[in-house]
Amino acid sequence: MDFDLTDEQRLLRDSVERLVADRYGFEQRRKYAAEPGGWSREMWAQYAELGLLGLPFAEDHGGFGGGAAETMIVMEAFGRALILEPYVATVLLGGGLVQAAGSAAQQAEILPRIAGGETVLAFAHTERQARYDLADVATAARQDGGAWRITGEKGVVLHGDTADTLVVSARVSGGRRDAAGIGLFLVPAEASGVTRRGYPAQDLLHGAEISLHDAPATPLGTPGEGFAAIARVVDRTIAALCAEAVGAMAELHAMTVDYLKTRKQFGRPIGDFQVLQHRSVDMFTALEQARSMAMYATVMADSDDADERARAVSAAKVQIGRSARFVGQEAIQLHGGIGMTMEYKAGHLFKRLTMIDKAYGDADHHLARLAAAGGLFSEAA
Amino acid sequence: MDLNFTEEELAFRDECRRFFTTEIPAALREKVAQGDHLSKDEYVTTQRILNARGWAVPHWPVAWGGQDWTPVQTYLYQDEMQQANVPAPLAFNVSMVGPVIAQFGSEAQKKRFLPRCANLDDWWCQGFSEPGSGSDLASLRTTAKRVGDKYIVNGQKTWTTLAQHADWIFNLVRTDPTAKKQEGISFLLIDMKTPGIKVRPIQTIDGGHEVNEVFFDDVEVPAENLVGEENKGWDYAKFLLGNERTGIARVGVSKARIRRLKQLAAREVAGDVPLIEDRRFREKLAEVEIELKALEMTQLRVVADERRAVKGKPNPASSILKIKGSEIQQRITELTMDLAGPYAWPYTRDEDEGSNEPPVGPDFAAEAAPMYFNYRKVSIYGGSNEIQRNIIAKAILGF
Ligand SMILES: Cc1cc2nc3c(=O)[nH]c(=O)nc-3n(C[C@H](O)[C@H](O)[C@H](O)COP(=O)(O)OP(=O)(O)OC[C@H]3O[C@@H](n4cnc5c(N)ncnc54)[C@H](O)[C@@H]3O)c2cc1C
């Protein structure tokens, strides 16, 4: 049992933390948010230079050969700084799917370009009726001569507005909610038959609603056998989001404690009121429980046992959802009016935390998934 | 003990219901139901319809347009109004400055201000909080110096709700810097058009603009705009804050929101099943309904006690109503956001009306998260829930 980071991991953490400390202050972030698509091309290049965009890919593909632990380290730092760039969409989702489902040739072509910061991907998967059910896919893929074409509606596509390449899930066979028969396809975002409606989101990330009408598509892996890859990549992404949430919660807690020490009312710091001390302690406890579960999800995210992996990830997502809601609400309350303002970072952390709960299944969804799978501890000793 | 209303009370309730649902434009009430922002004109329109009927300020003295209603009638009026999604008469006018002027103002002030206040001819805003004085309001530092027949006001107010619409502001100002902090404060009425006043918007986390900073730089205010006596402003402020007993629970608003939430949940599906049939969602909803019923009963008990209460004296019961009422309102916004699911994420709130782009996702989703964010305010303003707990602690524990 060892919770310590290796020397290499510590180096990674220090360099990411230094980068965001230097380049991702709250005011700088405001400028990045105003750029096209709501993120900074310059920072993207910085991530490429540091090797972050190739972090999970093999060295042959210009990567770093990192696992879930390395991703956790980066995401926690990103969470503290409220990073806006399409890291999750491109590296974890898009790159992850190419890694999990793509042919050797596709991997060799795409992954180095991701690592080099030359391409932005988005995963067009969720459909309106599906809510959080990963297997609910109505979008259809059909073969027209030798070519594949896709028709359907995809929604809340993270960074779907600025991606140049879409990884699209589409049904090749089976019923609308069957896990079997779902395929993964690459679709150039500017292809004919693709219509995108982009928008900023509550947390200042960007998204898009995407309509596909006979859009030309290239299969990623074997058509119709994409679900296992989707489930695996989404589970890993959830583990990464848990780490991001831990970073955001840690920052929010630190800001709150700081505020309790400096804000004076009734002639003394409000942190003198024991009732507020206890509130910050409860926040801290929620944060630490979340951190523990984010680590657990991280360790399990690389597991090949899909069932065990899914249960661990669901458990973590529930804990994160609850802790994030509690820490977020308490932070705003303890800040009073100032916490309610757009000019102050706390509110933005609160909003990002709220939205992490809505990504790939909220706490209720994962609680149901975990309960249906029999929970975490089996009745047998 | 009898939990039933009398025949007369029931008839009165029906009369309220009929009036609110037929005389207040349905389009306006629909906007309130959806949590949309109302324009200044929309508030004014509503309040004038109510005022024409004599129903904008029923709790004021009869001489100034009030109704001689029983506490039960006032309760029914409020509850029906809230359930019908009627935009409430502007609280700053009808619940705050109006009653203070009616109680402590001069005859000239009453004549000059009260009719316009009731009709929303003047829009009032509340200049109490300052950057350094929130919960500790009595530490406020905005000063008013008497020079001849004027006060010269300097300082800053903040979190001033809808100051961008306001014609007048009622300010707490320090008139005696040497006195004990509660004893040097006065209650001053200031025309927002006076030179030296600057209003700066503050954007809230939901993206809206409802609060402002208000700066006073050598603002000259006629001495006749002082309410009551100099240095007695703290008493009037306490009267103002203790005046609202039952409205703060907003039980009727929460009833209307739960009703709407159920309608939405019947439409919104997960897979092929409407969410209203999802067991977990239903149980969460039922839990809020239980809380709300308990609050409604508590409120009715307070109403029944009202006959014995001393007007204007803070009552720990109103603190209970504030705490539970705000928690329930927040919980409902949370459930509405959860209902929107992944579609709570896009920010597509339509600030400029008239856009004909179809909504992204379900039509209620655009407001769901902003409303959840915005409603964090209800446990902060009007005396935070921590301050309310302090009040109750003092009253019941004697600390
Ligand atoms: C949306 C909005 C609209 C508003 N509109 C108006 C308006 O129109 N006019 C106006 O004058 N004001 C308005 N306010 C201001 C509001 O009344 C104050 O925000 C409130 O009084 C809290 O003050 P504060 O924000 O300075 O927080 P602080 O007083 O600094 O409080 C910070 C935290 O400390 C806690 N705390 C403080 N003292 C104690 C204590 N003794 N014991 C335990 N906990 C304590 C608080 O509960 C809070 O959690 C508005 C505020 C908001 C958010």
Side-chain angles (χ1 to χ4, degrees), chain A residues 56-58 61 66 91 94-102 107 111 220 236:
Chain A
F57 310 145
H61 295 138
V91 179
L97 287 164
V98 171
Q99 224 180 356
Q107 295 188 24
L111 298 180
L220 189 63
R236 280 194 187 158

Side-chain angles (χ1 to χ4, degrees), chain B residues 187-200:
Chain B
F187 197 107
L188 202 55
L189 311 177
I190 305 177
D191 186 337
M192 289 292 281
K193 286 184 293 296
T194 320
I197 298 181
K198 207 173 89 197
V199 178
R200 195 186 79 86

Side-chain angles (χ1 to χ4, degrees), chain A residues 132-218:
Chain A
Y132 298 124
D133 180 0
L134 283 183
D136 190 334
V137 172
T139 295
R142 65 180 178 85
Q143 237 172 338
D144 180 10
W148 285 90
R149 297 200 171 270
I150 295 182
T151 297
E153 303 289 328
K154 296 293 185 177
V156 293
V157 180
L158 181 62
H159 293 294
D161 57 342
T162 43
D164 50 69
T165 304
L166 305 173
V167 180
V168 182
S169 60
R171 187 159 292 290
V172 174
S173 64
R176 201 193 82 209
R177 301 179 65 196
D178 292 345
I182 297 173
L184 285 165
F185 298 86
L186 295 169
V187 177
E190 299 292 340
S192 66
V194 179
T195 319
R196 295 189 279 174
R197 178 178 172 193
Y199 45 76
Q202 304 292 342
D203 46 19
L204 289 189
L205 297 180
H206 274 236
E209 300 299 289
I210 300 180
S211 293
L212 302 135
H213 190 79
D214 277 337
T218 313

Side-chain angles (χ1 to χ4, degrees), chain A residues 267-278:
Chain A
R268 49 182 165 155
I270 53 174
D272 272 7
F273 299 116
Q274 198 165 45
V275 72
L276 299 190
Q277 290 171 13
H278 285 191

